[in-house]
Amino acid sequence: MSHADKRHERLRERLRERRWRITPQRRSVVEALSGPNLHLTAEEIFARARTVVPEISRATVYNTLRELVEMGELAEMQIGPGPALYDPNAVVHHHHLVCSSCGRIYDIHPLGVEHLDLREEDRDGFELQRAEVVFHGRCRACKESEDT
Amino acid sequence: MSHADKRHERLRERLRERRWRITPQRRSVVEALSGPNLHLTAEEIFARARTVVPEISRATVYNTLRELVEMGELAEMQIGPGPALYDPNAVVHHHHLVCSSCGRIYDIHPLGVEHLDLREEDRDGFELQRAEVVFHGRCRACKESEDT
DNA sequence: TGTAGTATTAGAATCAGTCTAAAACTGTAG
DNA sequence: CTACAGTTTTAGACTGATTCTAATACTACA
């Protein structure tokens, strides 16, 4: 059984524990979100969910996504303009790598994050909670198809 | 003369050098963007510009902002959902500090950014161009008005 | 079986931003 | 000065993403 499958199974378990009512619609949304290194828009999730439950409405998809985000089971992120992306890999905190040429996004665990800190002159009584790092660059595939 | 004023003056100079035609509308947008630690939405910039040139239209504000961003004179950023924010402090690269309680954003130069790097297992031929760091936490003011 | 609470729906509404086609300006050559 | 080409601005239509609304359907359980 894959890492993603295990993650998905644990998620279903947590949802059951929380007495979150699992309906066919909600299940289809949660299923649309299983898979590794996945970053989908609400519209893509809607499309996937529809292949399983054709009568599902956009409102339900948005409601379900909001609830999962509130429960901490799903991360919502905004990389540049355009629609929000949903990242099912929310339980373990991680960072992102964005290819500026194809736009693909990868989950990463960079080195040096724990040493990031504010300078004295920037601090001004601020209480740090977390740091978010986004790397931009060019992925192998885009570098190799070097046809500028 | 303040730091921000000097920055603003140099900006006007660069725009002149580039033969960017300065019209009253464009001037009002550029003026709306002067000030330290400023992060405005297009709508706020429109409102400010209107106090100077009441007949300016939204389209002109958006056009002008796009041109400034293309010229590298203005940074456009997306912190969470909602409208994009424009940061006039674009020439010197910097990072951001966001108060999760009041939403205010501060420009910072954190320690340790230059040591951030990809792990071998995450790298996969990726060519890094830049890292973007966003700190989240609570600002002094919000911490002091501790009335939960 | 009735009822209260929960979930879902289609479509209207909202919000941010882009597009369009016409009108207004500007610089310059005659 | 006048004509023209090129640039800039405009109001409002349009689009895409998301939220809201009010009606309907489902579920648990008294």
Side-chain angles (χ1 to χ4, degrees):
Chain A
M1 183 184 270
S2 83
H3 179 71
D5 285 346
K6 267 189 238 143
R7 170 152 52 71
H8 195 230
E9 201 188 316
R10 283 195 298 267
L11 163 60
R12 288 203 312 269
E13 211 169 291
R14 282 195 301 276
L15 296 178
R16 243 179 283 126
E17 275 163 22
R18 261 179 257 232
R19 332 246 142 149
W20 190 59
R21 196 184 285 171
I22 303 212
T23 64
Q25 289 87 337
R26 286 178 176 179
R27 188 170 31 250
S28 74
V29 170
V30 170
E31 265 160 24
L33 289 166
S34 60
N37 244 308
L38 206 54
H39 303 90
L40 299 173
T41 63
E43 197 59 30
E44 287 163 344
I45 295 162
F46 178 51
R48 280 166 172 241
R50 259 225 283 215
T51 64
V52 181
V53 180
E55 61 276 48
I56 194 172
S57 79
R58 263 187 195 75
T60 298
V61 172
Y62 277 103
N63 288 340
T64 306
L65 293 174
R66 186 178 26 70
E67 284 161 36
L68 290 169
V69 168
E70 280 163 9
M71 292 190 275
E73 298 293 351
L74 184 64
E76 189 180 10
M77 56 182 183
Q78 194 69 55
I79 301 267
L85 296 177
Y86 293 89
D87 184 341
N89 190 8
V91 178
V92 178
H93 185 54
H94 60 275
H95 300 268
H96 293 100
L97 185 56
V98 184
C99 175
S100 38
S101 133
C102 67
R104 253 191 287 274
I105 295 167
Y106 303 88
D107 289 358
I108 53 167
H109 295 90
L111 297 165
V113 177
E114 55 291 348
H115 297 118
L116 284 173
D117 203 5
L118 290 175
R119 264 171 221 279
E120 255 338 294
E121 64 262 39
D122 285 338
R123 182 171 300 272
D124 189 33
F126 199 93
E127 177 194 306
L128 279 191
Q129 285 162 353
R130 69 200 160 85
E132 232 176 73
V133 178
V134 179
F135 284 111
H136 296 260
R138 236 152 26 116
C139 70
R140 179 201 289 280
C142 289
K143 220 168 40 179
E144 280 169 4
S145 67
E146 191 110 328
D147 43 40
T148 350
Chain B
M1 184 185 267
S2 82
H3 179 71
D5 285 347
K6 267 190 239 142
R7 169 152 52 72
H8 194 231
E9 201 189 315
R10 282 195 299 266
L11 163 60
R12 288 202 313 268
E13 212 169 290
R14 282 195 301 276
L15 297 177
R16 243 178 283 127
E17 274 162 24
R18 261 180 259 228
R19 329 248 143 149
W20 191 58
R21 197 183 285 171
I22 304 212
T23 65
Q25 288 87 337
R26 287 177 174 177
R27 190 173 24 253
S28 74
V29 170
V30 170
E31 265 160 24
L33 290 166
S34 59
N37 245 307
L38 204 54
H39 305 89
L40 299 172
T41 63
E43 198 58 31
E44 287 164 344
I45 294 162
F46 177 51
R48 280 166 173 241
R50 261 226 280 218
T51 65
V52 180
V53 180
E55 62 276 48
I56 194 172
S57 79
R58 251 179 263 277
T60 298
V61 172
Y62 278 104
N63 288 340
T64 306
L65 293 174
R66 187 178 25 70
E67 284 161 36
L68 289 169
V69 169
E70 280 164 9
M71 291 191 275
E73 297 294 351
L74 185 63
E76 188 178 10
M77 56 181 184
Q78 192 70 55
I79 301 268
L85 296 177
Y86 292 89
D87 184 341
N89 191 8
V91 178
V92 177
H93 185 55
H94 60 274
H95 300 269
H96 293 101
L97 185 56
V98 184
C99 176
S100 37
S101 133
C102 67
R104 254 190 285 273
I105 295 167
Y106 302 88
D107 289 358
I108 53 167
H109 295 91
L111 296 166
V113 177
E114 55 291 348
H115 297 118
L116 284 172
D117 203 4
L118 290 176
R119 263 171 221 280
E120 256 336 295
E121 64 261 40
D122 286 338
R123 182 174 300 273
D124 189 32
F126 200 92
E127 176 194 307
L128 280 190
Q129 284 162 355
R130 70 203 158 83
E132 232 175 74
V133 178
V134 179
F135 284 112
H136 296 260
R138 237 156 21 119
C139 71
R140 179 202 288 280
C142 289
K143 219 169 42 179
E144 281 170 1
S145 66
E146 192 110 326
D147 44 42
T148 349

